[in-house]
Amino acid sequence: MTIHRLTDKDFEQAFQLSCYAFQVENPDDHRQRAQKAWDKSINIGATENGQLLSKLALLPLAVHIHGKTMPMGGLAGVASYPEQRRKGHVRQLLGHTLQMMRAEGHLLSYLAPFSVSFYRKFGWEILCENTTYTLNAKQLPKPLPIADGKLERVDPSDPRIRAVYEKHLCHGMLVRDPQWWEHLQNGAYKAKKAVLYIDGGGEPSAYMVYTIQKRKFATEELIFGDQEGLTALFAFIGQHDSMADTAELTVPAAEGLSYFLPDAKTKAETIPYFMARIVDVAPFFQAYPFLANGQGDFVFRISDPVAEWNDQLFAFSVKNGKAQPTTVRGEEPVFETDIQTLTALMLGYKRPTFFKHAGFIRGDEKALQDFFRLIPGEQPALVDFF
C-alpha cells in the first residue's frame, strides 16, 4: 500500500469511493460539485495495485484565533471502503497529511467528525458546539416594528453580507477568501433566502440566511454584532407567524442565544460540531496571541500519538503577549498533558480550570494559574461546514 497525493486521473475512483462511503443517491447529480471541490483541494489517498482504498481531502484555509489569522488545514471527505477499514489506512493518511500541513505552515487543523472518539485517537479534540433552539408557535419572537433601522430581503450573494461577516468575525471562525464565498453560493447558500439588517446610520450590521418550508422557519447562518441587530432579526422571524408554526435557530453554543430569546426555556439541543488539532506546537505557541497583562516561563511535556515532532518537552517564555522558545532548566515546573487537551485549552473550548480539575493537565498549582491567566477567555465558534 502507498500513501500519496492523488492526481486528476484518480478523480473518478475518489468520487465513486465518496458516493459509496457516504451513501450518495444519484451520483451524477453531485459530480459537477464534486469536481469543483476536487480542483480546490489537495487530495491524498492510500492505493494498492492502482486501486484506491482510502482517501481524504486537505483544504488550505485560515481561521480567526483571538484576533489573529492562523493558517489551518481543513480535512474533509475522509473515506474507506468497508472491507479496508481497521487496517490502519486512516492513521497513515492522517499522519502523512499532518506532515504535509506542517511543511505548508498550517498551525491548526479542523474537521467535522463522524465520531469524536475516533478522531481523539489521532489528536483532534472538540473545538466548539452548536445549539439548535426549537421554538413553538407561542415562543416565536414578537413581530415588533423596527424603529431605527430597516430590514431588507436580499440574495445570499449580496456583497454586504460578506462585509457583515468580516466585521463580526469571532474567535474560531473561518477567514473566508473569495473562493470560499463562491463555494457558499454553490453549496450552503444555494436555494436559501437571506435578510440583512441596516442600522439607523445606514450601515449593514446583521444578517440571516434561512429557509421556510412546510411551516418551519430554519436558520442556516445568523450573524450579528449587538443586541440591536439580533432584535431586528428576531422581529423578522416573528413577522412570519402566519407562515410558520415553528422555528429552528441553529447557532454556535458560544452565542448563548437562550439569554436573548423571548422564552429562555425554549427547547435546545447542543451537540459537538467541529474538532481541532494543533499541527505544530512550537510555531503555534509563538504565533498565539497571549494576553499582554502577564508574563512567565513555562515548560510543557506534550504527548502526541501521531505527530512525533510534538511528542516532547517545550519550554517558552511569555512576555507582552508573545511566546519565545527557551532552554529547559531543571528547576522549572513541568506541565504534563496531551495534544488534544492542549488544543482545547488554548482554543477555549472549556475554561482552563475544567481541564485541571478533570486531571487532563497536571503540574504545579501556582504555575498553572499563572499560565491560565495568559489565555484569552473567548469561546470558539464556527458557522461553516466542510
Side-chain angles (χ1 to χ4, degrees):
M1 185 189 70
T2 305
I3 305 291
H4 62 98
R5 182 168 178 171
L6 302 177
T7 64
D8 288 346
K9 67 181 179 59
D10 301 305
F11 169 75
E12 187 60 31
Q13 280 200 67
F15 178 66
Q16 294 300 330
L17 172 51
S18 289
C19 291
Y20 190 93
F22 301 119
Q23 302 177 52
V24 174
E25 296 182 5
N26 304 316
D28 288 340
D29 294 342
H30 299 268
R31 185 181 297 276
Q32 185 176 7
R33 193 165 72 177
Q35 182 69 65
K36 288 183 178 180
W38 174 274
D39 294 339
K40 296 175 183 177
S41 308
I42 298 170
N43 300 282
I44 304 164
T47 61
E48 189 171 67
N49 299 323
Q51 296 300 308
L52 183 63
L53 311 178
S54 305
K55 59 90 180 178
L56 61 77
L58 170 61
L59 309 174
L61 301 169
V63 287
H64 188 75
I65 302 298
H66 296 305
K68 184 171 184 175
T69 298
M70 283 193 183
M72 182 273 289
L75 298 189
V78 182
S80 298
Y81 282 111
E83 67 273 17
Q84 301 299 334
R85 294 179 61 203
R86 301 177 180 90
K87 295 182 179 181
H89 295 174
V90 171
R91 172 179 284 274
Q92 293 182 61
L93 278 173
L94 293 175
H96 181 93
T97 307
L98 280 167
Q99 292 179 1
M100 182 178 292
M101 285 191 282
R102 184 191 187 204
E104 293 295 324
H106 294 123
L107 300 180
L108 292 166
S109 176
Y110 282 14
L111 59 79
F114 77 92
S115 165
V116 169
S117 61
F118 178 83
Y119 283 106
R120 273 181 172 154
K121 294 184 296 185
F122 306 111
W124 276 261
E125 187 49 87
I126 299 171
L127 167 73
C128 58
E129 297 170 337
N130 270 4
T131 301
T132 297
Y133 299 89
T134 303
L135 288 65
N136 60 38
K138 293 181 179 180
Q139 293 172 319
L140 293 175
K142 301 296 182 185
L144 301 172
I146 307 302
D148 297 327
K150 63 177 181 178
L151 290 159
E152 286 187 21
R153 283 185 294 107
V154 298
D155 189 272
S157 63
D158 192 305
R160 293 174 295 175
I161 283 183
R162 177 174 178 174
V164 173
Y165 178 89
E166 293 174 350
K167 181 179 179 180
H168 300 310
L169 198 59
C170 295
H171 167 56
M173 289 170 61
L174 204 64
V175 178
R176 295 173 172 173
D177 61 16
Q179 282 191 337
W180 194 260
W181 284 102
E182 180 185 352
H183 163 76
L184 289 173
Q185 306 310 324
N186 297 322
Y189 286 179
K190 196 170 184 179
K192 305 292 194 307
K193 299 174 172 58
V195 61
L196 183 71
Y197 174 65
I198 301 170
D199 65 23
E203 290 294 320
S205 65
Y207 73 85
M208 179 166 54
V209 179
Y210 67 96
T211 60
I212 181 164
Q213 296 177 336
K214 298 180 179 179
R215 301 195 62 79
K216 181 178 77 174
F217 191 105
T219 62
E220 175 74 27
E221 198 168 297
L222 194 156
I223 301 293
F224 60 96
D226 54 34
Q227 192 170 353
E228 176 187 327
L230 179 60
T231 300
L233 296 179
F234 278 170
F236 181 80
I237 296 172
Q239 293 285 7
H240 289 75
D241 55 355
S242 65
M243 300 172 61
D245 299 321
T246 61
E248 286 188 357
L249 315 182
T250 300
V251 296
E255 299 283 8
L257 202 64
S258 59
Y259 193 87
F260 303 101
L261 289 171
D263 183 356
K265 289 189 175 182
T266 297
K267 177 184 175 183
E269 181 184 24
T270 299
I271 59 173
Y273 188 43
F274 262 64
M275 299 180 78
R277 187 198 209 285
I278 296 172
V279 172
D280 200 351
V281 169
F284 174 83
F285 272 140
Q286 291 181 260
Y288 187 83
F290 289 93
L291 295 176
N293 59 350
Q295 60 183 34
D297 297 316
F298 307 97
V299 181
F300 273 87
R301 175 65 180 91
I302 307 299
S303 61
D304 191 322
V306 180
E308 70 279 359
W309 56 87
N310 292 331
D311 195 49
Q312 58 173 299
L313 275 175
F314 293 91
F316 58 95
S317 178
V318 178
K319 188 175 182 180
N320 298 324
K322 295 183 178 180
Q324 293 296 331
T326 59
T327 302
V328 177
R329 297 192 295 270
E331 71 275 11
E332 292 175 329
V334 176
F335 307 150
E336 295 185 10
T337 192
D338 54 36
I339 193 68
Q340 302 99 293
T341 299
L342 184 68
T343 300
L345 171 70
M346 302 304 291
L347 297 184
Y349 171 59
K350 297 286 187 182
R351 295 179 66 85
T353 51
F354 168 84
F355 301 104
K356 181 176 75 70
H357 294 326
F360 294 139
I361 182 169
R362 299 165 298 282
D364 178 80
E365 177 73 20
K366 182 181 182 305
L368 277 174
Q369 291 302 325
D370 289 344
F371 182 73
F372 291 165
R373 281 192 283 269
L374 295 173
I375 301 174
E378 189 176 1
Q379 286 184 287
L382 185 68
V383 297
D384 284 291
F385 183 85
F386 50 82

